[in-house]
Amino acid sequence: MNRRYRKTIIAGNWKMNNTLSQTKAFAEEIKPIMPKGKWCNVVLCVPATNIQAAVRLFKDCHIAIGAETCHELDHGAYTGEITAAMIKEAGAKYVIIGHSERRQYYNETDFTVNKKVHAAIEAGLVPIICVGESLEQRELGVTMELIAYQVKCALANVAPEKVRHIVIAYEPLWAIGTGKTATAEQAGEVCQAIRTVIRKQYGAHVARSVTIQYGGSMNAKNAQELLAQPDVDGGLIGGAALKPADFVKIIEAANQE
Ligand code: 13P
């Protein structure tokens, strides 16, 4: 973390979990245990059906709300899809884009990720752009090239003053939902490489403002070590964000000096 230049953001990704009533129960449980200090920003990315209620429910404990994906276009005959403007009007501030599960199960490509990033920015949302390599790609030794490619594609034609405010989440596929976390060194190394890609393209001023998260089996036990890396500015948390007590422990780790 480096709080001098950029925000530390702890974000939960609920994926396809929690109904409206479960969302209410989560809010009740987390309210009394939310840390009072405000070193880091806290976000919950929730299923679209819960966004509006979540904005209201989590307002008191300063948790901002995000969506888990959006469509790249601003309207049209795309049954089941929602636009970035719809998400914005529902009260969300963030939207996850290009999560590996979207890439794997819904054919999202680096090309559509770029279009979605533009759509999110246009609507006034902060995109949390996910990048990450598979185990095979890591073993082949192409992690850095792949991540650089994903970052460059995602940010193609995005203006420098907009890039400053985006969030990138490094999520190695082999660490998602597996209980297998990247070591702090591995996470730090890739997050640093992501910042270097941004620096080369947009300059040092932009690069140092971008929040780069780590995601993949981050939990109460390993959070502090991961966040101690200078280029790891937060976490994108799946499983551990479904339990208020665990999520709070990660927020506390980010609040450490
Ligand atoms: P887990 O924390 O469950 O591994 O999920 C990470 C993730 O995919 C967050 O987007």
Side-chain angles (χ1 to χ4, degrees), residues 70-118:
C70 68
H71 197 271
E72 58 264 38
L73 298 177
D74 61 4
H75 72 280
Y78 298 95
T79 303
E81 292 290 327
I82 56 173
T83 68
M86 292 171 188
I87 293 166
K88 173 78 176 172
E89 279 199 30
K93 291 204 162 63
Y94 294 81
V95 58
I96 298 174
I97 291 180
H99 190 280
S100 61
E101 287 149 17
R102 300 290 315 175
R103 295 181 193 245
Q104 185 181 351
Y105 305 129
Y106 302 98
N107 305 321
E108 287 194 14
T109 63
D110 291 306
F111 183 64
T112 52
V113 166
N114 176 248
K115 287 188 173 178
K116 287 177 188 224
V117 169
H118 281 277

Side-chain angles (χ1 to χ4, degrees), residues 13 15 96 99-101 130 171 175-179 215-218 236-240:
N13 173 10
K15 309 191 179 184
I96 298 174
H99 190 280
S100 61
E101 287 149 17
C130 299
E171 298 208 310
I176 296 177
T178 57
S217 301
M218 197 175 198
L236 186 57
I237 297 122

Side-chain angles (χ1 to χ4, degrees), residues 21-195:
S21 55
Q22 288 167 328
T23 303
K24 285 180 186 158
F26 186 105
E28 290 305 312
E29 213 177 316
I30 204 166
K31 254 179 215 173
I33 57 171
M34 260 305 269
K36 295 282 178 283
K38 274 205 69 198
W39 287 106
C40 73
N41 291 29
V42 183
V43 180
L44 278 175
C45 297
V46 303
T49 47
N50 298 350
I51 291 173
Q52 233 181 327
V55 168
R56 195 169 25 83
L57 287 165
F58 292 101
K59 204 171 162 205
D60 291 349
C61 47
H62 304 288
I63 299 180
I65 299 303
E68 299 177 10
T69 183
C70 68
H71 197 271
E72 58 264 38
L73 298 177
D74 61 4
H75 72 280
Y78 298 95
T79 303
E81 292 290 327
I82 56 173
T83 68
M86 292 171 188
I87 293 166
K88 173 78 176 172
E89 279 199 30
K93 291 204 162 63
Y94 294 81
V95 58
I96 298 174
I97 291 180
H99 190 280
S100 61
E101 287 149 17
R102 300 290 315 175
R103 295 181 193 245
Q104 185 181 351
Y105 305 129
Y106 302 98
N107 305 321
E108 287 194 14
T109 63
D110 291 306
F111 183 64
T112 52
V113 166
N114 176 248
K115 287 188 173 178
K116 287 177 188 224
V117 169
H118 281 277
I121 292 171
E122 186 70 25
L125 294 169
V126 175
I128 301 177
I129 304 165
C130 299
V131 297
E133 83 288 4
S134 65
L135 188 58
E136 292 81 358
Q137 288 162 334
R138 177 160 279 271
E139 285 172 354
L140 279 176
V142 297
T143 299
M144 296 307 186
E145 288 88 343
L146 179 88
I147 301 287
Y149 177 80
Q150 290 177 331
V151 171
K152 282 183 191 169
C153 289
L155 299 181
N157 299 315
V158 179
E161 67 271 19
K162 303 288 184 193
V163 174
R164 283 189 65 196
H165 303 292
I166 57 141
V167 178
I168 296 188
Y170 166 53
E171 298 208 310
L173 274 57
W174 45 272
I176 296 177
T178 57
K180 199 174 163 196
T181 319
T183 63
E185 290 71 29
Q186 286 171 327
E189 189 185 24
V190 179
C191 290
Q192 185 187 40
I194 291 171
R195 202 175 307 283

